[in-house]
Amino acid sequence: MTDLVVVGGGIVGASSCYYANQIGARCTLIERDGIASHASGFAFGGLHPRVVATNESEMQRFAAESFEEHRRLHEELEYVYGVQSSWRRRSSISLAWNELDVHQFKAQRAKDSSTSEWLDAHDLNNLEPRISTAALGGLMTNESAEVDSAILTESLVSVASPEIFLDEVVDIELAQDRIDGVRIRRGEMIEGDAFVFAMGPWSDLVFNWFEMNCSVKPLKGQILRLHIEGPAFQHSFSTEGNYMSTKPDGLLWIGTTEEEAKFNEAPTDEGRRKIMGVLQRMVPGSRRVDVVKQTACFRPISPDGELILGCVPGINNAFVGTGGGRKGILYGPLMGKYLANIALATDSLERWSSFAPDRFSENT
């Protein structure tokens, strides 16, 4: 019997296996479709330590600690284990199109004077002449980075070396306040001392198994990978929730859409048109643009927009992590670390108790 059974082979599940391995635990990973086969394999991978959150929310602290965990994890993976983390520093520039944008960005710059810089239209044009002259300027953030989400997820699993079952969990076996095992489609029961469910937008299956009053919705997003004439962009650029960056593969990645499409994961012509419209707004003079690849995936969105992270109510050896939304890659390693640590009793449930799943039952 294994110490920890992890269900889900995305960034959260892979991180759970990795950190469980760090404390000497034996781990089993169950994944239906393949490691990093959904959002964790196709995400943009931008990392920023700040998010928009209410004063009462712990999301800002979690984002800041997640950013630092990525930096620490990069050094550990590459210099201790000799595997690729893909992490790289990458300054990002948020474009301002009107005076309200300018005011908001300058106010933000006043708060973050050590990590950001305001660029007026002249500065922006000198930095990157291809950006539209309609932009009034931009806020350049130096405290940002990028990862290749697929490479990172696969590297975490490679180091952790869990026993892997490529199968689907179809049921659980409960014994009072504990889970004894999970049953996979081919009929086998996988037993363990503790269980982590990191199933992203498919987490409603978990909530139904445990009769939890909770739900996540799948938010579809599409990304284009383009070959565009001219040199690589030396910075990433963003506007109104969209972004573009030249990646190490030499392609310009640009996205993303936000669509309620249930679980239809197919890329669409409409998605391509929307993203190409974003490109034309940011880089209106671009010519000879070839779409090399178009991808789509789902991001899990919780009812209150915050993480669902912690112990399954009433079950003392089952844990769930989901709800990372558009920042799932940023949050993923720290989510997995916390889940592994609380599942194996090396950390306190109080650390991130505000994200505990039982907050939904408490509000009903």
Side-chain angles (χ1 to χ4, degrees):
M1 186 165 65
T2 190
D3 297 313
L4 182 66
V5 176
V6 176
V7 183
I11 186 67
V12 178
S15 298
S16 297
C17 291
Y18 176 84
Y19 289 106
N21 176 263
Q22 297 300 291
I23 53 180
R26 295 165 299 169
C27 196
T28 297
L29 176 62
I30 306 173
E31 163 56 41
R32 182 187 62 187
D33 299 317
I35 305 304
S37 58
H38 293 285
S40 296
F42 302 110
F44 184 79
L47 307 177
H48 306 276
R50 291 173 178 79
V51 295
V52 177
T54 64
N55 292 334
E56 297 78 20
S57 174
E58 285 279 84
M59 291 297 291
Q60 180 55 70
R61 183 166 71 93
F62 198 91
E65 291 194 22
S66 292
F67 186 82
E68 290 303 315
E69 187 62 27
H70 269 279
R71 181 157 40 196
R72 191 202 64 78
L73 187 58
H74 160 68
E75 295 178 356
E76 188 168 275
L77 287 173
E78 300 218 340
Y79 302 123
V80 176
Y81 295 104
V83 300
Q84 187 177 6
S85 80
S86 76
W87 182 92
R88 63 170 182 163
R89 284 195 173 278
R90 184 76 163 169
S91 58
S92 60
I93 300 172
S94 300
L95 299 176
W97 301 98
N98 52 55
E99 292 299 335
L100 179 59
D101 289 342
V102 173
H103 174 75
Q104 291 176 336
F105 288 154
K106 285 186 175 180
Q108 183 178 334
R109 197 272 176 196
K111 295 179 182 178
D112 307 327
S113 58
S114 62
T115 59
S116 62
E117 176 184 357
W118 170 252
L119 305 174
D120 62 23
H122 177 74
D123 296 329
L124 185 61
N125 182 259
N126 284 339
L127 189 72
E128 180 46 76
R130 288 172 289 180
I131 294 296
S132 173
T133 56
L136 303 183
L139 184 67
M140 183 164 71
T141 302
N142 298 312
E143 192 179 12
S144 56
E146 289 180 352
V147 293
D148 184 307
S149 59
I151 290 175
L152 175 58
T153 303
E154 291 163 359
S155 292
L156 291 168
V157 172
S158 174
V159 172
S161 297
E163 182 179 8
I164 298 176
F165 289 84
L166 291 178
D167 208 325
E168 180 181 8
V169 173
V170 295
D171 201 2
I172 60 173
E173 185 164 312
L174 288 171
Q176 295 182 338
D177 61 351
R178 291 180 60 81
I179 177 173
D180 286 339
V182 295
R183 190 172 300 280
I184 56 179
R185 184 162 295 280
R186 66 180 184 233
E188 189 172 352
M189 181 68 70
I190 310 299
E191 299 179 333
D193 291 330
F195 296 80
V196 162
F197 296 89
M199 297 169 61
W202 291 273
S203 293
D204 277 7
L205 293 170
V206 182
F207 304 144
N208 290 335
W209 291 332
F210 293 107
E211 299 182 349
M212 296 168 60
N213 184 30
C214 188
S215 182
V216 295
K217 71 174 184 178
L219 181 66
K220 184 176 180 179
Q222 302 188 49
I223 292 176
L224 298 181
R225 305 182 196 186
L226 309 174
H227 182 271
I228 184 170
E229 189 176 42
F233 288 91
Q234 298 303 308
H235 312 271
S236 68
F237 293 87
S238 66
T239 177
E240 299 171 338
N242 301 286
Y243 41 70
M244 69 175 187
S245 178
T246 302
K247 297 288 191 168
D249 61 9
L251 300 178
L252 182 70
W253 290 35
I254 182 169
T256 179
T257 62
E258 289 191 351
E259 309 164 49
E260 293 187 11
K262 295 186 178 179
F263 284 98
N264 180 358
E265 208 165 9
T268 64
D269 291 339
E270 177 63 19
R272 179 182 297 206
R273 285 192 292 271
K274 286 183 178 179
I275 298 171
M276 290 301 291
V278 173
L279 175 67
Q280 289 303 315
R281 187 182 189 195
M282 288 200 283
V283 192
S286 55
R287 294 181 176 84
R288 295 190 60 184
V289 177
D290 299 315
V291 178
V292 176
K293 191 172 186 178
Q294 180 177 359
T295 61
C297 61
F298 297 110
R299 292 77 60 99
I301 306 296
S302 71
D304 59 7
E306 301 203 347
L307 301 177
I308 301 172
L309 185 65
C311 188
V312 171
I315 310 296
N316 61 28
N317 70 334
F319 306 85
V320 62
T322 188
R326 291 185 55 163
K327 293 185 177 293
I329 301 303
L330 170 66
Y331 302 140
L334 190 58
M335 290 175 70
K337 184 176 186 177
Y338 177 64
L339 288 168
N341 286 341
I342 60 176
L344 299 168
T346 62
D347 198 356
S348 167
L349 285 167
E350 296 303 314
R351 183 179 295 275
W352 299 108
S353 59
S354 65
F355 302 135
D358 63 7
R359 72 184 187 273
F360 297 104
S361 58
E362 290 173 354
N363 292 333
T364 59

